[in-house]
Amino acid sequence: MDNKTSKSSIETVMKETRVFSPPTEFTSQALIKDSKSYQELWEESQKNPEKFWQKEAESLHWFEKWHTTHEWKEPFSRWFLGGKINVAYNCLDRHLPTQKDKLAYIWEGEDGSVRTLTFQQLYEEVSQLANALENKLGLKPGDTAAIYMPLVPEAIIAMLACARIGVAHSIVFAGFSSLSLKDRVLDADCKIIFTADLGYRRGQTLDLKKIVREAVAECPSVQTTLILRRDPTTQLSKNEIDWNTFVADQSRTHKAQPFDSEHPLFYLYTSGTTGKPKGIVHSSGGYLLGVATTAKWIFDLKDQDIYWCTADIGWITGHSYVVYGLLANGATSLIYEGAPMHPQAGRIWEIIDKHKVTILYTAPTAIRAFMRAGDEYVIKHSLKSLRLLGSVGEPINPEAWMWYHQIVGKGKCPIVDTWWQTETGSILISPIPGVTPLKPGSATRPFPGIVADIVNEEGKTCAPNEGGYLVIRHPWPSMLRTLHKNPERYKEGYWSRFKGLYFTGDGAHRDEQGYFWIKGRVDDVINVSGHRLGTMEIESALVSHPRVAEAAVVGRPDELKGQSIVAFVTPRDSGEKLDIKILVQELKAHVVNEIGALARPDEIKFTKTLPKTRSGKIMRRLLKDLASGKEISGDTTTLENPGLIEIIES
Ligand code: WTA
């Protein structure tokens, strides 16, 4: 995230909104239901965040207690110094005496098959893998492992086995191309890759091992590929090991070792405005505390809940709210490997009824797609098990919010609209469902212990309803620690825009009640279906094609996906006749090959030249207007040659 900002994000906004008080049937059972004492706790936590977090940290298991709660050497934050912890122990072993037979995961495949794992079974599977990694491969604390897997229990088993032995995992979403996988594996020096031969989605089989093989061929650090064979006829190549054979002879118990609270738990690569994706580094103790506390308070977790977060583990939402935050609370989660609208648009509702899901956490893009498919798919199902709904990843428009509330939640389920980022590790702004009155489209207020603010260009707090930049004033436990191998970019990207404040890259305003309304990115990051992409990354992919001289990518508002990807391309004159239609197909395929299908441009426009200022900067604002079919607005006097924005093909 860099410091490029656009003026449009800081306009003043006025909104009229309905307010929904928490429904009585929810409040009467809620974990946090006394508004007055919650408000007092919240106020106190704003004055003294350390005190709040320190108290919450007592509920985790520590092998040794910390001596210092927080150390801040700007911009580097460390929490629970001297404390020794094991994240996997907190997620598994700690629960065994009281709930070993409780389900940790219910997995459903797209074909309807179901697999379940109790906490005891999960512990045993994790132990076997941890033992094998230590005994057979000699993996040790400080090593790094890549995970490129479909959403099957083994993916979670791999995460926990790594956490258990102090190996940092780096999960790469199994929709990224082999080139993206290679870049991430090389950057993190991974010694091993966990994968499966196949994944299943929308009735199709994805050949994951092929992608992994292409990547590994160029990754000297990788010594072993561990393959979960879902097709028994899959042949293994050199340095590939069959998962089941690898673990079969290992003990089903494993003694977890204590690690420093600051020991890195994982790296997760995410897009910024410049350069290649950056490796966000998360800690053990602080991260676990952030996700465990927020999961419990925001999802109001109870012993009998069946919780379903539809995210893939390849994203931060999967890390924090499919795995660590939920297991730390001993909760039961459903995971589903497949598309929520396959083979029919009501699949998601069918699954909720089948497994009696009580809490659903999904993205606005998905909600809008369900809404578009039609109410009939929803009302066909009872959905009476649902008691709480969540939204994450992008702003939710009030229409989608209302539909989610009325049609899915039948007006009786609060909606927690949760704002956070890969960097924040855990949710920072969200309602607490039993006490926070809701306003459709607002993530409401910061979580206790989170000191959020909205500031203007000069870093001064904005007046109510004045648009500005969302910042965090005080470090929090689950904050990213740095960028892997790149502390300078960490400082520059997050801590240089406003002195002493963490800059989120989002534009927002706050209303008279202190409710936050987040508008989305003010930098060159775009959010397509809740997936974060850097426009620069897509531009680099485009210019690596021989027929492209220059490219600029912008986001265009999209009713369904939030934003869609529009690329402006100046073709290179090769002397050959240009067949625009073929080139469009070729360039889309090229981007898919370079990054992955999620970065495929929705539209490519060819121009003779790109609009630039006299100093050579591409005028993105103008391209954004062009992409969304708007009149070109604002000042174009600095444009080098306004006449040259000529679209060759529309
Ligand atoms: C956006 C996803 C509005 C925001 C957890 C942020 C949201 C980026 C919300 C981070 C929300 C996430 N309302 N915008 N409730 N949640 N965002 O790293 O622009 O994939 O900066 O983390 O998503 O995306 P990331």
Side-chain angles (χ1 to χ4, degrees):
M1 177 169 1
D2 291 326
N3 300 336
K4 291 180 212 160
T5 51
S6 83
K7 278 261 183 278
S8 64
S9 61
I10 48 171
E11 75 224 12
T12 295
V13 200
M14 303 300 279
K15 274 219 164 84
E16 233 182 75
T17 336
R18 276 181 70 184
V19 179
F20 292 82
S21 298
T24 340
E25 55 211 293
F26 185 90
T27 329
S28 59
Q29 306 292 323
L31 283 183
I32 299 168
K33 54 184 163 204
D34 178 351
S35 303
K36 192 164 161 286
S37 51
Y38 174 73
Q39 183 61 23
E40 282 166 16
L41 175 146
W42 189 85
E43 305 277 349
E44 168 76 21
S45 81
Q46 297 293 297
K47 288 186 220 129
N48 193 347
E50 273 86 5
K51 191 170 159 211
F52 170 78
W53 290 116
Q54 185 180 303
K55 176 159 178 283
E56 289 307 308
E58 306 276 354
S59 58
L60 296 178
H61 169 274
W62 298 86
F63 289 104
E64 269 173 53
K65 209 181 155 182
W66 62 93
H67 52 70
T68 306
T69 305
H70 180 217
E71 180 198 87
W72 179 226
K73 292 189 179 154
E74 190 184 330
F76 297 100
S77 180
R78 303 202 299 158
W79 289 79
F80 308 111
L81 299 159
K84 303 268 185 226
I85 196 164
N86 186 297
V87 170
Y89 185 96
N90 272 278
C91 290
L92 299 169
D93 313 38
R94 188 160 67 114
H95 306 308
L96 299 182
T98 52
Q99 53 168 62
K100 71 182 179 43
D101 296 326
K102 179 175 173 177
L103 292 183
Y105 289 102
I106 304 166
W107 171 89
E108 173 150 337
E110 212 174 49
D111 66 357
S113 45
V114 172
R115 231 178 107 189
T116 57
L117 280 163
T118 62
F119 275 88
Q120 176 68 30
Q121 288 165 332
L122 185 58
Y123 163 80
E124 291 183 12
E125 303 254 339
V126 169
S127 295
Q128 278 196 306
L129 182 57
N131 282 321
L133 294 173
E134 285 181 331
N135 301 337
K136 297 190 176 177
L137 300 181
L139 287 193
K140 52 185 188 323
D143 288 339
T144 320
I147 300 179
Y148 187 83
M149 293 199 64
L151 189 49
V152 289
E154 282 75 8
I156 297 170
I157 292 166
M159 294 167 79
L160 294 166
C162 288
R164 207 168 173 88
I165 63 173
V167 166
H169 56 68
S170 166
I171 308 187
V172 181
F173 172 62
F176 279 115
S177 67
S178 61
L179 288 169
S180 294
L181 174 61
K182 179 193 84 177
D183 284 347
R184 288 157 167 80
V185 169
L186 285 177
D187 192 71
D189 302 312
C190 299
K191 284 199 173 161
I192 177 172
I193 299 192
F194 298 89
T195 191
D197 51 355
L198 307 168
Y200 301 103
R201 200 171 164 92
R202 282 201 190 87
Q204 301 205 326
T205 304
L206 314 168
D207 191 350
L208 301 181
K209 68 175 181 322
K210 177 166 171 278
I211 295 170
V212 171
R213 280 176 185 162
E214 280 168 17
V216 168
E218 295 179 54
C219 296
S221 64
V222 176
Q223 294 155 8
T224 312
T225 304
L226 193 63
I227 301 194
L228 178 73
R229 280 199 284 186
R230 310 179 85 187
D231 171 359
T233 66
T234 296
Q235 298 292 313
L236 298 180
S237 314
K238 195 168 153 262
N239 297 335
E240 291 178 351
I241 304 181
D242 171 68
W243 191 305
N244 291 325
T245 323
F246 183 64
V247 299
D249 55 358
Q250 297 295 305
S251 159
R252 298 180 78 83
T253 61
H254 178 272
K255 194 165 179 318
Q257 297 302 311
F259 296 109
D260 281 343
S261 174
E262 283 297 313
H263 189 81
L265 179 64
F266 64 86
Y267 306 137
L268 183 57
Y269 286 80
T270 191
S271 298
T273 50
T274 53
K276 297 212 169 194
K278 44 201 184 178
I280 306 290
V281 181
H282 277 295
S283 67
S284 297
Y287 170 80
L288 188 68
L289 175 64
V291 297
T293 314
T294 49
K296 182 170 175 190
W297 291 37
I298 295 169
F299 299 120
D300 188 57
L301 290 174
K302 309 273 175 49
D303 196 34
Q304 57 287 7
D305 275 317
I306 311 280
Y307 161 98
W308 184 13
C309 166
T310 61
D312 188 272
I313 50 143
W315 311 112
I316 190 69
T317 307
H319 284 63
S320 302
Y321 300 107
V322 172
V323 184
Y324 293 117
L326 276 291
L327 289 177
N329 281 292
T332 302
S333 285
L334 177 92
I335 51 174
Y336 168 59
E337 181 195 5
M341 290 172 76
H342 189 89
Q344 42 82 20
R347 181 66 187 271
I348 182 165
W349 318 121
E350 188 184 291
I351 296 178
I352 289 172
D353 271 2
K354 176 170 167 187
H355 297 286
K356 304 206 168 29
V357 170
T358 57
I359 303 167
L360 175 68
Y361 189 37
T362 192
T365 292
I367 298 166
R368 289 188 290 262
F370 303 139
M371 185 172 154
R372 185 174 284 190
D375 297 1
E376 62 272 25
Y377 288 101
V378 188
I379 48 197
K380 230 174 32 205
H381 300 93
S382 103
L383 304 188
K384 69 172 191 294
S385 55
L386 283 177
R387 63 181 195 91
L388 180 62
L389 302 171
S391 171
V392 58
E394 42 176 330
I396 179 163
N397 47 313
E399 299 71 36
W401 194 102
M402 287 302 297
W403 183 84
Y404 200 26
H405 191 253
Q406 299 300 327
I407 306 297
V408 180
K410 322 287 181 215
K412 68 176 173 65
C413 307
I415 296 180
V416 286
D417 174 3
T418 60
W419 178 89
W420 58 299
Q421 311 177 296
T422 307
E423 291 86 344
T424 68
S426 61
I427 298 168
L428 297 197
I429 306 181
S430 166
I432 301 295
V435 289
T436 313
L438 306 172
K439 298 186 189 182
S442 168
T444 76
R445 304 178 71 198
F447 193 77
I450 301 300
V451 190
D453 200 1
I454 295 169
V455 298
N456 64 16
E457 294 286 352
E458 286 77 49
K460 300 240 159 61
T461 299
C462 290
N465 293 317
E466 183 193 349
Y469 303 108
L470 179 63
V471 296
I472 313 296
R473 289 200 168 271
H474 190 90
W476 63 100
S478 65
M479 180 176 109
L480 79 163
R481 295 304 190 251
T482 186
L483 294 179
H484 186 51
K485 292 186 183 157
N486 210 340
E488 282 309 313
R489 194 174 167 196
Y490 165 72
K491 279 191 199 167
E492 183 54 33
Y494 303 100
W495 299 94
S496 67
R497 180 75 177 77
F498 302 108
K499 179 87 193 85
L501 306 182
Y502 169 86
F503 178 47
T504 62
D506 277 345
H509 75 276
R510 190 167 27 191
D511 67 18
E512 290 85 354
Q513 280 81 42
Y515 275 47
F516 285 69
W517 298 80
I518 289 120
K519 281 187 67 164
R521 309 292 303 196
V522 293
D523 52 13
D524 291 330
V525 171
I526 54 177
N527 194 326
V528 182
S529 303
H531 297 147
R532 186 167 152 179
L533 291 163
T535 48
M536 274 268 296
E537 271 173 81
I538 310 174
E539 287 163 8
S540 310
L542 285 166
V543 295
S544 71
H545 188 279
R547 292 299 307 259
V548 176
E550 267 196 313
V553 168
V554 294
R556 172 174 63 196
D558 184 284
E559 269 191 18
L560 199 61
K561 301 195 284 185
Q563 283 185 299
S564 58
I565 306 171
V566 179
F568 290 84
V569 166
T570 313
R572 195 182 288 281
D573 187 5
S574 65
E576 280 170 47
K577 196 178 161 320
L578 197 64
D579 186 328
I580 296 281
K581 284 215 168 61
I582 293 183
L583 188 53
V584 165
Q585 292 319 317
E586 246 185 51
L587 292 182
K588 287 187 177 180
H590 183 70
V591 174
V592 171
N593 195 41
E594 291 279 311
I595 304 176
L598 69 167
R600 181 193 284 116
D602 294 276
E603 193 179 345
I604 298 182
K605 289 177 185 286
F606 292 95
T607 66
K608 286 194 177 152
T609 164
L610 290 172
K612 289 193 190 136
T613 61
R614 287 190 198 109
S615 59
K617 273 179 76 178
I618 294 173
M619 292 193 76
R620 288 173 182 282
R621 174 177 52 79
L622 201 138
L623 291 176
K624 273 187 200 163
D625 285 353
L626 265 180
S628 41
K630 280 197 222 152
E631 288 284 305
I632 294 180
S633 61
D635 185 11
T636 53
T637 49
T638 51
L639 193 60
E640 195 190 31
N641 188 346
L644 282 180
I645 322 160
E646 189 185 333
I647 308 286
I648 304 175
E649 183 254 16
S650 317

